[in-house]
Amino acid sequence: MQRRRWAILALLVLAVGTLTGCALFNQPPTANFTWTPSDPLARTDVQFTDLSTDTGGIVSWSWDFGDNGSSPSQNPKHEYEKGGTYQVKLTVTDGDGSLDTLQKTVTITPSLDGTWSGVMTDLNWNQWTLQLNLHHSASGGITGTMSRGNQTQVITSATFDPSSGEVQITSMIFGQTLRGTLNAAENRISGLWYDALAGWVGKDWSVNLQ
């Protein structure tokens, strides 16, 4: 009888050990992630880093960047075309098929980076082709060139307020300063231009991101 009890106990221990390795006793993973820079600009790379944990190891990652973009990579880079607020979701799956999903809000600051093309109207109601090539520098400033017709000059100063969308760009082309507002949803800048030398207000200008 004693021997039989020991045999039954051994079978129970074996059964529990087997079940412990099954999905029935598997601890699901915990999804987590971060991104850099913490305040990313539109049309620049955002580095997403997986911080998920699991006792047995994670075998797959599924990212939804909230702008119809996705990735199966563990630590992907992603570029947002427009400024705005995006809901980013990461779903991780472990070797036993258990999964977990985490969603975080990522705010993308509107950016002037890129080539903008459109028209500007002079005082005689003539329309000129206007092109802006703009770049946010590492120091936080904005550099680039302004072209009106067949004339191109380096931009001497440029300011941009992401919260209001207000833009001011000055070049030496006739001493003109462009003042306008960025429509982040449509990637369009429009406003009026000013002549700093003559001291008068010009006509309208408008450019779209190319």
Side-chain angles (χ1 to χ4, degrees):
M1 183 65 69
Q2 184 72 18
R3 183 177 298 176
R4 184 177 180 182
R5 282 200 296 266
W6 280 109
I8 294 173
L9 180 60
L11 288 174
L12 288 173
V13 170
L14 179 62
V16 170
T18 302
L19 288 173
T20 301
C22 296
L24 179 63
F25 287 89
N26 177 55
Q27 293 296 318
T30 300
N32 193 14
F33 64 91
T34 188
W35 61 91
T36 54
S38 58
D39 52 349
L41 292 172
R43 296 182 298 286
T44 59
D45 281 339
V46 183
Q47 175 66 65
F48 289 92
T49 302
D50 170 49
L51 300 177
S52 305
T53 57
D54 183 72
T55 55
I58 295 170
V59 297
S60 71
W61 298 261
S62 177
W63 294 85
D64 179 345
F65 298 116
D67 64 345
N68 296 321
S70 61
S71 174
S73 300
Q74 181 179 4
N75 300 302
K77 289 182 178 180
H78 186 67
E79 183 178 295
Y80 289 90
E81 179 66 19
K82 301 176 181 179
T85 300
Y86 299 88
Q87 302 302 318
V88 178
K89 291 190 293 185
L90 170 62
T91 299
V92 293
T93 306
D94 66 14
D96 291 304
S98 296
L99 55 84
D100 187 38
T101 298
L102 178 66
Q103 177 175 293
K104 292 186 179 182
T105 300
V106 178
T107 300
I108 303 297
T109 301
S111 168
L112 297 185
D113 269 24
T115 298
W116 304 76
S117 184
V119 295
M120 66 183 301
T121 306
D122 66 19
L123 295 178
N124 296 316
W125 297 100
N126 298 312
Q127 288 193 334
W128 297 78
T129 298
L130 175 65
Q131 182 167 298
L132 304 173
N133 291 291
L134 305 175
H135 176 67
H136 287 260
S137 65
S139 62
I142 300 171
T143 60
T145 59
M146 178 194 296
S147 299
R148 200 199 84 164
N150 60 0
Q151 293 181 301
T152 299
Q153 293 284 341
V154 173
I155 290 172
T156 55
S157 67
T159 59
F160 173 50
D161 182 354
S163 61
S164 65
E166 293 182 358
V167 179
Q168 180 166 302
I169 301 170
T170 301
S171 82
M172 293 308 295
I173 298 179
F174 307 121
Q176 291 169 352
T177 296
L178 305 176
R179 295 179 185 173
T181 302
L182 169 66
N183 183 326
E186 299 180 6
N187 274 337
R188 184 179 69 251
I189 313 173
S190 58
L192 296 174
W193 58 268
Y194 295 73
D195 191 300
L197 298 178
W200 37 255
V201 179
K203 301 297 183 181
D204 60 297
W205 65 281
S206 177
V207 290
N208 293 286
L209 184 67
Q210 301 301 295

